[in-house]
Amino acid sequence: RELAQRLGFTSLERTLIATAVSELARNILTYAREGEILLRSLQEGDRCGIQVVARDQGPGILDVNLATMVGYSTSGGLGLGLSLVKRTMDELTIVSTPGQGVVVTATKWKRLQREGSSPGSTSYA
């Protein structure tokens, strides 16, 4: 939340990012028992963002497309974790090697304000 706040994300956006990070951490604990989550700020053209990389060396995901669908769960849960991350973040990449682990990269972008524009007049291309 602190990094997202420093980058100027709204309260709602910070909550969505924190929820996505929490879901990724829960998946690591549930399926791999240990792993890591890295956060970094990004700047690309007229936008800045936050990137979340969650990686583990667990059993991997056999069907990534199925795993990101609402309601799909292999642990008996509601199956909202990865589908929530997919819906709340702007970009999601999942690389899974069965038996060796998963790397999930999720990015949320925020448009930078142009000089001389007011907060309510930021244009989106």
Side-chain angles (χ1 to χ4, degrees), residues 58-100:
I61 300 171
L62 294 177
D63 187 335
V64 171
N65 289 326
L66 187 59
T68 59
M69 294 180 67
V70 175
Y72 179 79
S73 173
T74 58
S75 68
L78 297 175
L80 300 175
L82 285 177
S83 65
L84 179 138
V85 175
K86 183 178 179 181
R87 287 189 323 271
T88 59
M89 301 297 276
D90 296 319
E91 298 172 8
L92 179 67
T93 304
I94 302 173
V95 177
S96 175
T97 306
Q100 295 182 19

Short mmCIF file of all heavy atoms in Angstrom, two decimals, residues 58-100:
data_model
loop_
_atom_site.label_atom_id
_atom_site.label_comp_id
_atom_site.label_asym_id
_atom_site.label_seq_id
_atom_site.Cartn_x
_atom_site.Cartn_y
_atom_site.Cartn_z
N GLY A 58 6.92 -24.52 -5.96
CA GLY A 58 5.92 -25.53 -5.62
C GLY A 58 5.60 -26.45 -6.78
O GLY A 58 6.37 -26.57 -7.74
N PRO A 59 4.41 -27.06 -6.71
CA PRO A 59 4.03 -28.06 -7.71
C PRO A 59 3.69 -27.50 -9.09
O PRO A 59 3.61 -28.24 -10.06
CB PRO A 59 2.80 -28.73 -7.09
CG PRO A 59 2.23 -27.69 -6.19
CD PRO A 59 3.42 -26.93 -5.66
N GLY A 60 3.50 -26.19 -9.18
CA GLY A 60 3.14 -25.58 -10.46
C GLY A 60 1.65 -25.66 -10.71
O GLY A 60 0.89 -26.25 -9.94
N ILE A 61 1.22 -25.05 -11.80
CA ILE A 61 -0.18 -25.03 -12.21
C ILE A 61 -0.27 -25.79 -13.52
O ILE A 61 0.38 -25.44 -14.50
CB ILE A 61 -0.67 -23.57 -12.40
CG1 ILE A 61 -0.53 -22.77 -11.10
CG2 ILE A 61 -2.11 -23.56 -12.90
CD1 ILE A 61 -0.79 -21.29 -11.26
N LEU A 62 -1.10 -26.83 -13.55
CA LEU A 62 -1.20 -27.65 -14.75
C LEU A 62 -1.89 -26.93 -15.90
O LEU A 62 -1.47 -27.03 -17.04
CB LEU A 62 -1.94 -28.96 -14.43
CG LEU A 62 -1.22 -29.90 -13.47
CD1 LEU A 62 -2.08 -31.13 -13.17
CD2 LEU A 62 0.13 -30.33 -14.06
N ASP A 63 -2.97 -26.19 -15.61
CA ASP A 63 -3.72 -25.48 -16.64
C ASP A 63 -3.91 -24.04 -16.20
O ASP A 63 -4.82 -23.72 -15.44
CB ASP A 63 -5.07 -26.16 -16.87
CG ASP A 63 -5.84 -25.59 -18.05
OD1 ASP A 63 -5.62 -24.40 -18.40
OD2 ASP A 63 -6.67 -26.33 -18.61
N VAL A 64 -3.04 -23.15 -16.67
CA VAL A 64 -3.06 -21.74 -16.24
C VAL A 64 -4.38 -21.07 -16.62
O VAL A 64 -4.94 -20.32 -15.83
CB VAL A 64 -1.85 -20.98 -16.84
CG1 VAL A 64 -1.97 -19.49 -16.60
CG2 VAL A 64 -0.55 -21.52 -16.23
N ASN A 65 -4.88 -21.32 -17.84
CA ASN A 65 -6.14 -20.69 -18.25
C ASN A 65 -7.29 -21.10 -17.33
O ASN A 65 -8.09 -20.26 -16.92
CB ASN A 65 -6.49 -21.04 -19.70
CG ASN A 65 -5.56 -20.35 -20.68
OD1 ASN A 65 -5.12 -19.24 -20.44
ND2 ASN A 65 -5.26 -21.02 -21.77
N LEU A 66 -7.37 -22.35 -16.99
CA LEU A 66 -8.41 -22.83 -16.08
C LEU A 66 -8.23 -22.23 -14.69
O LEU A 66 -9.20 -21.84 -14.04
CB LEU A 66 -8.36 -24.36 -16.01
CG LEU A 66 -9.47 -25.06 -15.24
CD1 LEU A 66 -10.83 -24.72 -15.82
CD2 LEU A 66 -9.23 -26.56 -15.26
N ALA A 67 -7.01 -22.12 -14.23
CA ALA A 67 -6.73 -21.60 -12.88
C ALA A 67 -7.12 -20.14 -12.71
O ALA A 67 -7.34 -19.69 -11.59
CB ALA A 67 -5.24 -21.78 -12.55
N THR A 68 -7.23 -19.39 -13.81
CA THR A 68 -7.62 -17.98 -13.71
C THR A 68 -9.11 -17.77 -13.91
O THR A 68 -9.58 -16.63 -13.91
CB THR A 68 -6.85 -17.11 -14.73
OG1 THR A 68 -7.12 -17.58 -16.04
CG2 THR A 68 -5.35 -17.14 -14.45
N MET A 69 -9.87 -18.83 -14.03
CA MET A 69 -11.32 -18.72 -14.18
C MET A 69 -12.00 -18.65 -12.82
O MET A 69 -11.60 -19.35 -11.88
CB MET A 69 -11.86 -19.89 -14.99
CG MET A 69 -11.38 -19.91 -16.43
SD MET A 69 -12.02 -21.30 -17.37
CE MET A 69 -13.75 -20.87 -17.44
N VAL A 70 -13.02 -17.80 -12.72
CA VAL A 70 -13.78 -17.66 -11.47
C VAL A 70 -14.38 -19.01 -11.10
O VAL A 70 -14.98 -19.69 -11.94
CB VAL A 70 -14.91 -16.62 -11.63
CG1 VAL A 70 -15.78 -16.57 -10.39
CG2 VAL A 70 -14.33 -15.25 -11.94
N GLY A 71 -14.18 -19.43 -9.86
CA GLY A 71 -14.77 -20.66 -9.35
C GLY A 71 -13.88 -21.88 -9.43
O GLY A 71 -14.19 -22.92 -8.85
N TYR A 72 -12.74 -21.78 -10.14
CA TYR A 72 -11.86 -22.94 -10.23
C TYR A 72 -10.93 -22.98 -9.02
O TYR A 72 -10.26 -22.00 -8.70
CB TYR A 72 -11.01 -22.90 -11.51
CG TYR A 72 -10.07 -24.08 -11.60
CD1 TYR A 72 -10.54 -25.31 -12.01
CD2 TYR A 72 -8.74 -23.96 -11.25
CE1 TYR A 72 -9.69 -26.41 -12.07
CE2 TYR A 72 -7.88 -25.04 -11.32
CZ TYR A 72 -8.36 -26.27 -11.72
OH TYR A 72 -7.53 -27.34 -11.77
N SER A 73 -10.92 -24.12 -8.35
CA SER A 73 -10.06 -24.28 -7.17
C SER A 73 -9.62 -25.73 -7.05
O SER A 73 -10.42 -26.63 -7.28
CB SER A 73 -10.82 -23.88 -5.90
OG SER A 73 -10.05 -24.18 -4.76
N THR A 74 -8.37 -25.92 -6.69
CA THR A 74 -7.89 -27.28 -6.41
C THR A 74 -7.76 -27.51 -4.91
O THR A 74 -7.42 -28.59 -4.49
CB THR A 74 -6.53 -27.55 -7.10
OG1 THR A 74 -5.59 -26.58 -6.63
CG2 THR A 74 -6.65 -27.49 -8.61
N SER A 75 -8.04 -26.45 -4.12
CA SER A 75 -7.88 -26.57 -2.67
C SER A 75 -9.22 -26.60 -1.93
O SER A 75 -9.25 -26.60 -0.72
CB SER A 75 -7.04 -25.40 -2.14
OG SER A 75 -7.77 -24.19 -2.27
N GLY A 76 -10.33 -26.60 -2.70
CA GLY A 76 -11.64 -26.61 -2.06
C GLY A 76 -12.15 -25.22 -1.69
O GLY A 76 -13.20 -25.10 -1.07
N GLY A 77 -11.43 -24.18 -2.07
CA GLY A 77 -11.85 -22.81 -1.78
C GLY A 77 -12.87 -22.32 -2.80
O GLY A 77 -13.40 -23.09 -3.61
N LEU A 78 -13.13 -21.03 -2.78
CA LEU A 78 -14.11 -20.44 -3.68
C LEU A 78 -13.59 -20.26 -5.11
O LEU A 78 -14.35 -19.99 -6.02
CB LEU A 78 -14.58 -19.08 -3.14
CG LEU A 78 -15.30 -19.13 -1.80
CD1 LEU A 78 -15.60 -17.71 -1.32
CD2 LEU A 78 -16.59 -19.93 -1.93
N GLY A 79 -12.29 -20.35 -5.30
CA GLY A 79 -11.73 -20.20 -6.63
C GLY A 79 -11.75 -18.77 -7.12
O GLY A 79 -12.02 -18.50 -8.29
N LEU A 80 -11.45 -17.85 -6.22
CA LEU A 80 -11.48 -16.44 -6.58
C LEU A 80 -10.08 -15.81 -6.65
O LEU A 80 -9.94 -14.70 -7.14
CB LEU A 80 -12.33 -15.65 -5.57
CG LEU A 80 -13.79 -16.08 -5.47
CD1 LEU A 80 -14.49 -15.31 -4.36
CD2 LEU A 80 -14.49 -15.88 -6.80
N GLY A 81 -9.06 -16.49 -6.17
CA GLY A 81 -7.72 -15.92 -6.05
C GLY A 81 -7.11 -15.38 -7.33
O GLY A 81 -6.99 -14.18 -7.53
N LEU A 82 -6.71 -16.25 -8.24
CA LEU A 82 -6.06 -15.79 -9.47
C LEU A 82 -7.03 -15.04 -10.38
O LEU A 82 -6.63 -14.12 -11.07
CB LEU A 82 -5.43 -16.96 -10.23
CG LEU A 82 -4.13 -17.49 -9.63
CD1 LEU A 82 -3.64 -18.70 -10.43
CD2 LEU A 82 -3.06 -16.42 -9.59
N SER A 83 -8.31 -15.41 -10.36
CA SER A 83 -9.27 -14.67 -11.17
C SER A 83 -9.42 -13.24 -10.65
O SER A 83 -9.57 -12.30 -11.43
CB SER A 83 -10.63 -15.38 -11.21
OG SER A 83 -11.24 -15.40 -9.94
N LEU A 84 -9.33 -13.06 -9.34
CA LEU A 84 -9.38 -11.71 -8.76
C LEU A 84 -8.16 -10.91 -9.18
O LEU A 84 -8.28 -9.75 -9.56
CB LEU A 84 -9.46 -11.79 -7.23
CG LEU A 84 -9.51 -10.44 -6.53
CD1 LEU A 84 -10.53 -10.48 -5.41
CD2 LEU A 84 -8.16 -10.05 -6.00
N VAL A 85 -6.99 -11.52 -9.13
CA VAL A 85 -5.77 -10.83 -9.55
C VAL A 85 -5.88 -10.44 -11.02
O VAL A 85 -5.56 -9.31 -11.40
CB VAL A 85 -4.52 -11.72 -9.31
CG1 VAL A 85 -3.26 -11.05 -9.86
CG2 VAL A 85 -4.35 -12.03 -7.83
N LYS A 86 -6.41 -11.33 -11.85
CA LYS A 86 -6.57 -11.06 -13.28
C LYS A 86 -7.51 -9.88 -13.52
O LYS A 86 -7.26 -9.04 -14.38
CB LYS A 86 -7.10 -12.31 -13.97
CG LYS A 86 -7.25 -12.20 -15.46
CD LYS A 86 -7.74 -13.51 -16.03
CE LYS A 86 -7.92 -13.44 -17.53
NZ LYS A 86 -8.42 -14.72 -18.07
N ARG A 87 -8.60 -9.80 -12.74
CA ARG A 87 -9.59 -8.73 -12.93
C ARG A 87 -9.14 -7.39 -12.37
O ARG A 87 -9.52 -6.35 -12.89
CB ARG A 87 -10.92 -9.12 -12.26
CG ARG A 87 -11.69 -10.17 -13.00
CD ARG A 87 -13.10 -10.38 -12.45
NE ARG A 87 -13.23 -10.29 -11.01
CZ ARG A 87 -13.09 -11.29 -10.15
NH1 ARG A 87 -12.78 -12.48 -10.59
NH2 ARG A 87 -13.26 -11.11 -8.87
N THR A 88 -8.34 -7.39 -11.32
CA THR A 88 -8.00 -6.12 -10.67
C THR A 88 -6.71 -5.49 -11.17
O THR A 88 -6.53 -4.28 -11.02
CB THR A 88 -7.89 -6.28 -9.13
OG1 THR A 88 -6.89 -7.25 -8.83
CG2 THR A 88 -9.21 -6.71 -8.53
N MET A 89 -5.85 -6.27 -11.76
CA MET A 89 -4.59 -5.73 -12.28
C MET A 89 -4.73 -5.53 -13.79
O MET A 89 -5.59 -6.13 -14.43
CB MET A 89 -3.44 -6.68 -11.94
CG MET A 89 -3.26 -6.93 -10.45
SD MET A 89 -2.84 -5.48 -9.47
CE MET A 89 -1.06 -5.44 -9.72
N ASP A 90 -3.90 -4.68 -14.36
CA ASP A 90 -3.99 -4.39 -15.79
C ASP A 90 -3.31 -5.45 -16.66
O ASP A 90 -3.73 -5.68 -17.79
CB ASP A 90 -3.37 -3.02 -16.09
CG ASP A 90 -4.13 -1.91 -15.41
OD1 ASP A 90 -5.38 -1.95 -15.41
OD2 ASP A 90 -3.49 -0.99 -14.87
N GLU A 91 -2.26 -6.05 -16.14
CA GLU A 91 -1.53 -7.07 -16.89
C GLU A 91 -1.24 -8.23 -15.96
O GLU A 91 -0.92 -8.03 -14.78
CB GLU A 91 -0.21 -6.52 -17.42
CG GLU A 91 -0.36 -5.37 -18.39
CD GLU A 91 0.96 -4.71 -18.76
OE1 GLU A 91 2.04 -5.22 -18.38
OE2 GLU A 91 0.91 -3.65 -19.41
N LEU A 92 -1.34 -9.44 -16.49
CA LEU A 92 -1.05 -10.64 -15.71
C LEU A 92 -0.37 -11.66 -16.59
O LEU A 92 -0.85 -11.99 -17.68
CB LEU A 92 -2.34 -11.23 -15.13
CG LEU A 92 -2.17 -12.52 -14.31
CD1 LEU A 92 -1.42 -12.23 -13.01
CD2 LEU A 92 -3.53 -13.14 -14.01
N THR A 93 0.79 -12.13 -16.14
CA THR A 93 1.51 -13.19 -16.82
C THR A 93 1.80 -14.28 -15.81
O THR A 93 2.28 -14.00 -14.71
CB THR A 93 2.86 -12.67 -17.39
OG1 THR A 93 2.59 -11.56 -18.25
CG2 THR A 93 3.58 -13.75 -18.16
N ILE A 94 1.51 -15.51 -16.19
CA ILE A 94 1.77 -16.65 -15.31
C ILE A 94 2.63 -17.65 -16.08
O ILE A 94 2.24 -18.11 -17.15
CB ILE A 94 0.47 -17.33 -14.84
CG1 ILE A 94 -0.42 -16.32 -14.10
CG2 ILE A 94 0.78 -18.55 -13.96
CD1 ILE A 94 -1.80 -16.85 -13.76
N VAL A 95 3.79 -17.94 -15.51
CA VAL A 95 4.68 -18.95 -16.09
C VAL A 95 4.77 -20.08 -15.08
O VAL A 95 5.19 -19.88 -13.95
CB VAL A 95 6.08 -18.37 -16.38
CG1 VAL A 95 7.01 -19.45 -16.92
CG2 VAL A 95 5.99 -17.19 -17.35
N SER A 96 4.33 -21.25 -15.52
CA SER A 96 4.30 -22.40 -14.62
C SER A 96 5.03 -23.58 -15.24
O SER A 96 4.83 -23.90 -16.41
CB SER A 96 2.85 -22.80 -14.33
OG SER A 96 2.82 -23.98 -13.56
N THR A 97 5.87 -24.19 -14.42
CA THR A 97 6.54 -25.41 -14.82
C THR A 97 6.14 -26.47 -13.81
O THR A 97 6.59 -26.43 -12.66
CB THR A 97 8.07 -25.23 -14.82
OG1 THR A 97 8.40 -24.10 -15.64
CG2 THR A 97 8.77 -26.47 -15.34
N PRO A 98 5.22 -27.38 -14.20
CA PRO A 98 4.77 -28.40 -13.26
C PRO A 98 5.94 -29.12 -12.58
O PRO A 98 6.89 -29.52 -13.22
CB PRO A 98 3.94 -29.35 -14.13
CG PRO A 98 3.40 -28.45 -15.20
CD PRO A 98 4.54 -27.50 -15.49
N GLY A 99 5.85 -29.15 -11.26
CA GLY A 99 6.90 -29.79 -10.46
C GLY A 99 8.04 -28.86 -10.10
O GLY A 99 8.91 -29.22 -9.31
N GLN A 100 8.08 -27.67 -10.68
CA GLN A 100 9.19 -26.76 -10.43
C GLN A 100 8.78 -25.39 -9.92
O GLN A 100 9.61 -24.65 -9.43
CB GLN A 100 10.04 -26.60 -11.69
CG GLN A 100 10.71 -27.88 -12.09
CD GLN A 100 11.58 -27.70 -13.32
OE1 GLN A 100 11.96 -26.58 -13.67
NE2 GLN A 100 11.90 -28.78 -13.98
#
